[in-house]
Amino acid sequence: MRCPVCKYDMVVVEYHNIELDYCNSCKGVWFDSEELELLLKSQGLEEPKAFFDGIFNSQKAVSPEKKRNCPICGHKMKKTAIGGQPEILIDICRDKHGLWFDGGEVTQLIRHLAGEHPPKRDSREQVISFLEEVFGAPG
Ligand SMILES: [Zn+2]
Ligand SMILES: [Zn+2]
């Protein structure tokens, strides 16, 4: 799969049977919907669907950032903000193929959510702790 930002081939990073596509050049991460669902299920999350619907149906964010094309279908993705304050912009495919995190956004997200509801094991935290383990961000 090609990186939606710089068009280099991405590498597959596998961790606990979950595969992510990672761009060595811009450090962006593509999270396939199926892989994200697998991850949430493997963590015993009760409602992976609610998590998805929440993200896919969220408001479109206004951003000067360039639009990215989905690496699967090639259509322009929608920008949406997750994480409240400060907002972290991610790109999502309207056909629910997956989520794109620009390089730096993963770390930003991890830092932001690390300070929030520490004892609560919710779906966002599961995703973040997984990314932390994969990319070795400070936790
Ligand atoms: Zn890239
Ligand atoms: Zn797509």
Side-chain angles (χ1 to χ4, degrees), residues 70 72-74 93 95 97:
C70 171
I72 293 176
C73 65
C93 171
D95 293 325
H97 289 130

Side-chain angles (χ1 to χ4, degrees), residues 55-109:
I55 287 189
F56 285 115
N57 297 328
S58 54
Q59 289 288 314
K60 186 179 162 196
V62 181
S63 161
E65 256 183 38
K66 224 179 132 188
K67 284 206 164 48
R68 318 289 191 207
N69 294 324
C70 171
I72 293 176
C73 65
H75 293 154
K76 280 200 167 40
M77 293 192 280
K78 169 174 123 170
K79 302 241 177 241
T80 194
I82 57 171
Q85 296 294 329
E87 288 186 332
I88 289 143
L89 281 181
I90 61 167
D91 298 83
I92 61 176
C93 171
R94 293 165 201 274
D95 293 325
K96 304 196 181 185
H97 289 130
L99 317 177
W100 172 256
F101 294 87
D102 271 329
E105 282 172 353
V106 174
T107 323
Q108 215 186 336
L109 189 65

Side-chain angles (χ1 to χ4, degrees), residues 3 6 23 26:
C3 170
C6 52
C23 176
C26 67

Side-chain angles (χ1 to χ4, degrees), residues 1-4 8-12 21-23 28-30 71 100:
M1 213 179 327
R2 295 284 176 93
C3 170
Y8 284 110
D9 283 331
M10 293 193 280
V11 295
V12 174
D21 295 277
Y22 174 70
C23 176
V29 180
W30 171 255
W100 172 256

Side-chain angles (χ1 to χ4, degrees), residues 5-23:
V5 177
C6 52
K7 316 295 181 207
Y8 284 110
D9 283 331
M10 293 193 280
V11 295
V12 174
V13 179
E14 195 186 326
Y15 189 85
H16 288 195
N17 301 319
I18 312 289
E19 291 182 356
L20 298 177
D21 295 277
Y22 174 70
C23 176

